[in-house]
Structures are given as C-alpha cells and as structure tokens.
Amino acid sequence: MTSALRLTALDATHRALGATMTDFAGWDMPLRYGSERDEHNAVRTRAGLFDLSHMGEITVSGQQAGELLDYALVGRLSVLGVGRARYTHICQEDGGILDDLIVYRLADQEFMVVANASNAQVVLDALTERAPGFDAEVRDDREAYALIAVQGPESPAILASVTDADLDGLKYYAGLPGTVAGVPALIARTGYTGEDGFELFVRPEHAVALWEALTAAGADRGLVPCGLSCRDTLRLEAGMPLYGHELTTALTPFDAGLGRVVKFDKPVDFVGRKALEQAAERAEAAPPRVLVGLVAEGRRVPRAGFAVVADGQVVGEVTSGAPSPTLGKPIAMAYVDAAHAAPGTAGVGVDIRGTHEPYEVVALPFYKRER
C-alpha cells in the first residue's frame, strides 16, 4: 500500500480552478492550471500566484538558537538581523549538501528555517540531532503554516492594495509581520522565479481567504494562478539551483560553485567544517566541474542526466533542462569540466539519444530582470 498524498489547505481551490495535480514530495500539488507557457510569461510580465504550502517550516528558538544554527549549518546565522533572511546550506559531516535553506530571523531568540519539501524531514532530524548541548528548541512547524507566493513585476502593486505594511521599505531577503487582506502574515520579499515578489506565511485556516483576496486584487493586473511546472522553468531561466538536480549529497557547496555560503570565520565549530576546508582547498588547486548554462542551437530539449560532450568525449552532465519561454529555445544547466566552462566555448554539445546536438555555453543566469 502507498500512503495517501498530503493536501494543502488550498486543495479544493486548485481543483475548482481545473488544475492538473501531481505528486510532488508526497504532496498533491498543482502542476499547471492551463498553459505552462502562459503561466510562465504572466510571471515575467505581470504576476503569478503560487501555493507553496508543501515547503517545510522548522522553528529554532531559545537563548542559544543562533549558536545552534551556526553549528548545524554552514552559514553564520547568529549575526543575522531581526527581520532579515539568508540563503544557506545544511551539510553532512563529509561536506555533502543535505539541503539548501532560507533562514528567517523572526525575533532575537527565534528563527524559522524553510526546507525543501522533499528534504523537510531530513532537515528536521538533522537539526534535532545537532541540538543537544545548546539552550535551544527545534520545533516542527510544517502544520502551522500555509505559504502563498505572488511573483512578478505587478506583485508589489497587487500586494500593496491589500496591506498597509511598508512594502517599499522591505528589502530583498527580508520579512516583516503584517496583515494582508485582514489575515495575519509574515510578509517576506523572497522568491524562486527571478522576479520581484513576496512569500506570505499564514495559518492554514487563512489560506483560502488570502488566495481569494489576492486573486481579486490582481484581476486587473493580469495575475494568474501558477503551478509547479512554470515555477521550474522560471527558476531555471534565473539560474537558481534545485535540490536533487544541481545540489545533492554527492556535492559540497564548493563543488556546486556556492562556496560563498560557507563561513569559516565563525567562532564555533560546525558540522562538516573539516571536509569543507578540504573541499575549498581542492577547488582552489584544481577547479571542479563548473555549473554553466547551455542554449540549444536546435529544437531538441536536454534533460537531467544527459551527457555533455566535446570532441567525442564526455565533459559534463546536464542537471536541468527545459524549453525556455523567454528565450524561445531549449536551455539547460550542466556541470562541465573547467576547460569547457567559458562562455562561447566551441564544439560543445549534448548527447540526446545518440545524437550530439550543438549547444552554446553561456554564463548563468539565462535571464535577469531589470531592476
């Protein structure tokens, strides 16, 4: 027997809108409502509304909450200001990435760690295992939140019409408590689309009212409901890594080109430090494969696991690939040997079912919004 899929508080809403649903990390989630391309383009040009309630919220609180996170994660979270957020990783002792996270500091002694849905239990277990010896509590708050995101260039105006919170003063990777359409919320200026936007953490019982209010507020600004499919093409165009594709336990942050998130200047030891110091030295002495962008010269779409080739030799592997609605061509992210990583490198292709399709090597991201 297989266990039943978990449902978000917005499940009935998605079905009423005619969403195509899919199993994602044990959750029944909307894949698309209509055209994936139309949803993608709406976020790029107007606004899109997402249900992200499958994400995993974990609260870490207490006198030594910051010190625990400094020990458990590779970043230095104890110096994070109240109301700010930071991207970081949690690693194994051998330096392999367990998950990439966003950590919000809600109060002096309270943090919220947001994990990917597929890794939420792994992260919860790891934080719990690393907590003894610290005056801090790790609490599973996955049932306490629904998460709704509004993303796109029209999102500030849409959200401003239903809240009196100071959105103009809210910086990227910051959050503040407020009221949105009468609903108490943590309003965070974060997202996974490459556009300006907001993620709204609310209690599950308020999710439907908030979704409906945002839908009404965005009706004249082109807001559409969006599923996970366009979320994936949006993050791919923006060059944002996806756990299980660009990030895995087989890679350290240095292998993934994200060594900047590792803070060796912390006053405390942290899990994986020795292995990560060695990974940093290896990366400096002999650069590992580099994460690059690939743009197709033809129409065939690369997929994760396809080999990147040059001069008849395998020089890398595709981690994510899809048609790009914005570029109008298939694109991919891939780890390739350093010798073939420079933008414009000639002779690079992707082995698509035995045919070496030509691809242009480009710097990431493929798309960057105008500020």
Side-chain angles (χ1 to χ4, degrees):
M1 289 181 63
T2 57
S3 58
L5 294 178
R6 299 178 69 180
L7 307 180
T8 78
L10 290 160
D11 181 73
T13 300
H14 301 317
R15 295 177 190 282
L17 290 168
T20 298
M21 306 296 286
T22 189
D23 176 356
F24 186 84
W27 290 83
D28 207 12
M29 297 296 295
L31 185 65
R32 69 182 73 85
Y33 298 85
S35 162
E36 297 167 6
R37 179 179 295 270
D38 288 349
E39 291 173 23
H40 180 111
N41 290 335
V43 176
R44 286 277 178 259
T45 60
R46 302 182 305 278
L49 192 61
F50 297 83
D51 178 11
L52 307 179
S53 302
H54 60 313
M55 301 295 282
E57 296 86 6
I58 302 162
T59 299
V60 180
S61 59
Q63 287 273 2
Q64 293 185 303
E67 288 84 350
L68 167 58
L69 292 175
D70 283 353
Y71 169 72
L73 311 180
V74 301
R76 190 173 181 183
L77 286 307
S78 60
V79 298
L80 189 64
V82 174
R84 299 309 304 266
R86 182 164 296 170
Y87 175 81
T88 189
H89 292 169
I90 182 168
C91 290
Q92 300 178 145
E93 196 67 64
D94 66 1
I97 303 168
L98 281 173
D99 201 14
D100 61 335
L101 313 165
I102 296 181
V103 179
Y104 299 84
R105 190 165 201 162
L106 305 182
D108 186 51
Q109 297 182 14
E110 184 177 7
F111 297 78
M112 181 170 66
V113 177
V114 181
N116 286 297
S118 57
N119 292 330
Q121 189 64 48
V122 170
V123 173
L124 176 65
D125 291 345
L127 288 173
T128 302
E129 290 166 5
R130 298 172 189 186
F134 293 92
D135 182 7
E137 176 192 359
V138 176
R139 186 175 71 241
D140 181 0
D141 270 346
R142 285 176 287 179
E143 300 294 337
Y145 291 101
L147 177 56
I148 295 173
V150 54
Q151 299 278 300
E154 293 289 343
S155 60
I158 293 169
L159 190 58
S161 70
V162 289
T163 184
D164 58 4
D166 179 18
L167 301 183
D168 290 339
L170 186 62
K171 298 178 180 178
Y172 187 50
Y173 265 67
L176 81 168
T179 301
V180 182
V183 171
L186 171 65
I187 305 167
R189 201 162 205 152
T190 47
Y192 195 51
T193 64
E195 298 295 340
D196 192 11
F198 304 87
E199 295 182 320
L200 308 171
F201 295 84
V202 300
R203 293 201 59 80
E205 59 265 29
H206 296 147
V208 171
L210 180 57
W211 180 279
E212 291 176 349
L214 290 167
T215 298
D220 294 334
R221 293 185 178 272
L223 177 76
V224 301
C226 293
L228 294 181
S229 185
C230 84
R231 179 170 154 88
D232 189 50
T233 53
L234 289 160
R235 71 90 194 169
L236 176 55
E237 288 184 351
M240 294 177 169
L242 175 64
Y243 195 87
H245 290 252
E246 288 72 42
L247 307 174
T248 71
T249 53
L251 298 171
T252 72
F254 294 94
D255 298 321
L258 292 168
R260 64 183 181 276
V261 306
V262 181
K263 304 303 180 185
F264 291 121
D265 61 350
K266 292 192 281 188
V268 298
D269 195 12
F270 61 93
V271 176
R273 180 180 191 128
K274 184 175 181 180
L276 290 169
E277 287 175 339
Q278 294 170 347
E281 291 172 1
R282 287 196 306 271
E284 189 170 347
R289 282 184 166 177
V290 179
L291 187 64
V292 302
L294 299 174
V295 178
E297 295 182 15
R299 308 305 303 174
R300 299 187 74 185
V301 179
R303 298 299 182 189
F306 285 12
V308 180
V309 294
D311 299 322
Q313 302 296 315
V314 175
V315 298
E317 183 176 307
V318 171
T319 54
S320 297
S324 165
T326 303
L327 275 65
K329 299 177 180 180
I331 60 173
M333 287 198 284
Y335 283 110
V336 302
D337 295 345
H340 296 87
T345 299
V348 173
V350 176
D351 186 339
I352 302 181
R353 298 179 181 85
T355 301
H356 292 182
E357 298 287 339
Y359 272 74
E360 179 187 1
V361 179
V362 300
L364 292 170
F366 301 96
Y367 165 86
K368 193 170 185 178
R369 71 181 176 92
E370 296 180 6
R371 299 289 173 179

